[in-house]
């Protein structure tokens, strides 16, 4: 059962520059984009949730919506849009343009996933090794550990 008495100080002050797009996409990017991007000094990973969410965007339109919200927030804070955010959004849009929109595996059969993986020239580099560092078959996993990537 979801909590009904939690206090969210940000909820009332969270900007929503485009309610129509928020409704269409089912999210307000400002929820993530209001966070600052700083180097992790051991006290947390400020901004990393935002970048992780950008890597999970499923459509080009959503990438562009996020970029618009970043520009809106920058203008209202009298700053330029952050390079790391813009670069991450442009990179995600390019990935979606190359690989197609949507969740990577959604709606694909096993054969289609293998075919796409072949097209992308991808290869698994994980190997199991025993205590002597010798490769171990994946079917014989007892006592094996993950070895370094080749």
């Amino acid at each position: 059962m979801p909590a009904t008495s939690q206090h969210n100080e940000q909820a009332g002050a969270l900007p929503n520059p485009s309610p129509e797009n928020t409704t269409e996409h089912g999210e307000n990017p400002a929820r993530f984009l209001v966070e600052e991007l700083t180097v992790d000094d051991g006290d947390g990973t400020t901004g990393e949730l935002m970048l992780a969410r950008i890597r999970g965007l499923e459509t080009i339109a959503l990438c562009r919506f996020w970029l618009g919200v970043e520009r809106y927030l920058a203008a209202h804070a009298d700053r330029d849009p952050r390079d790391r955010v813009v670069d991450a959004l442009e990179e995600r849009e390019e990935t979606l343009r190359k690989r197609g929109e949507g969740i990577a595996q959604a709606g694909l059969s096993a054969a289609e996933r293998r075919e796409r993986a072949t097209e992308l020239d991808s290869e698994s580099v994980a190997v199991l090794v025993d205590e002597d560092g010798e490769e171990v078959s994946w079917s014989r996993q007892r006592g094996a550990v993950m070895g370094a990537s080749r």
Side-chain angles (χ1 to χ4, degrees):
M1 175 182 236
T4 57
S5 62
Q6 289 181 341
H7 178 67
N8 183 351
E9 295 175 15
Q10 209 177 33
L14 192 63
N16 189 359
S18 181
E20 305 82 30
N21 281 327
T22 297
T23 300
E24 178 183 340
H25 294 290
E27 71 178 58
N28 180 0
R31 173 179 168 217
F32 297 95
L33 294 170
V34 293
E35 297 295 322
E36 291 185 33
L37 282 172
T38 59
V39 174
D40 180 12
D41 59 5
D43 293 335
T45 55
T46 304
E48 294 303 314
L49 180 60
M50 173 197 331
L51 297 173
R53 179 65 189 105
I54 289 171
R55 288 189 299 272
L57 296 178
E58 299 174 23
T59 66
I60 292 169
L62 191 52
C63 291
R64 291 179 180 169
F65 176 39
W66 273 64
L67 184 56
V69 172
E70 172 62 15
R71 288 179 176 149
Y72 171 89
L73 293 173
H76 281 77
D78 198 29
R79 63 171 171 80
D80 290 329
R82 296 167 291 184
D83 290 337
R84 280 185 71 193
V85 174
V86 172
D87 291 347
L89 287 165
E90 288 174 348
E91 181 179 321
R92 182 60 183 160
E93 183 174 334
E94 184 61 27
T95 297
L96 292 170
R97 197 175 304 289
K98 287 179 182 175
R99 295 184 179 175
E101 294 180 309
I103 298 174
Q105 307 295 321
L108 298 177
S109 69
E112 290 169 326
R113 286 193 301 273
R114 284 191 300 273
E115 183 178 312
R116 280 202 181 173
T118 301
E119 289 172 4
L120 296 173
D121 194 31
S122 61
E123 165 187 351
S124 175
V125 294
V127 295
L128 292 179
V129 294
D130 62 15
E131 54 277 348
D132 298 323
E134 298 294 322
E135 283 191 36
V136 176
S137 163
W138 282 93
S139 62
R140 201 188 101 213
Q141 295 182 19
R142 176 179 236 130
V145 295
M146 188 67 75
S149 296
R150 294 187 245 180

